[in-house]
Amino acid sequence: QVQLVESGGGLVQPGGSLRLSCAASGIIFRFYVMAWYRQAPGKQRELVATITSGGTTNYIDSVKGRFTISRDNAKNTVYLQMNSLKPEDAAAYYCYARTTENIYWGQGTQVTVSS
């Protein structure tokens, strides 16, 4: 059974930092492209950052220079380090795993940015 379990969300003040984690099980993690998506209330889910099996990363413009995606294949875990958080970063953040044959989603973790 495939599971993607996110953790690390919470309430943070503007300018603060959070690190999200996504622990994967039931897949050969190192073969998967991993990503973080987010969805704010009333908005479409958007891709935030991706990391390939080889470690190549990509980000949407609004988080470049503030967010860092990384992976630890030994721990089957992908991370999203989020710095200088803004109110517009508040959303449910979802972990995503993809190969050419399979797509899996986590259940989401909530990030709230408020003073």
Side-chain angles (χ1 to χ4, degrees), residues 2 8-9 14 20 22 27 29 33 36 47 50 52 58-59 68 88 92 96 98 100 103 105-107 112:
V2 177
L20 306 183
C22 171
I27 61 173
F29 181 79
V33 173
W36 289 95
L47 176 62
T50 61
T52 68
N58 199 15
Y59 303 89
T68 302
E88 52 263 42
Y96 168 95
R98 174 179 63 80
T100 55
I103 294 175
W105 290 93
Q107 82 288 350
T112 303

Side-chain angles (χ1 to χ4, degrees), residues 63-83:
V63 307
K64 284 180 180 177
R66 299 189 298 122
F67 289 13
T68 302
I69 188 170
S70 61
R71 65 192 296 160
D72 185 337
N73 289 340
K75 295 183 178 180
N76 288 357
T77 300
V78 62
Y79 304 96
L80 186 67
Q81 177 67 44
M82 304 186 295
N83 298 328

Side-chain angles (χ1 to χ4, degrees), residues 21-40:
S21 299
C22 171
S25 59
I27 61 173
I28 304 176
F29 181 79
R30 67 184 183 275
F31 291 156
Y32 278 73
V33 173
M34 301 299 297
W36 289 95
Y37 282 74
R38 66 186 180 188
Q39 186 169 20

Side-chain angles (χ1 to χ4, degrees), residues 48-65:
V48 176
T50 61
I51 185 166
T52 68
S53 56
T56 300
T57 60
N58 199 15
Y59 303 89
I60 56 171
D61 286 345
S62 61
V63 307
K64 284 180 180 177

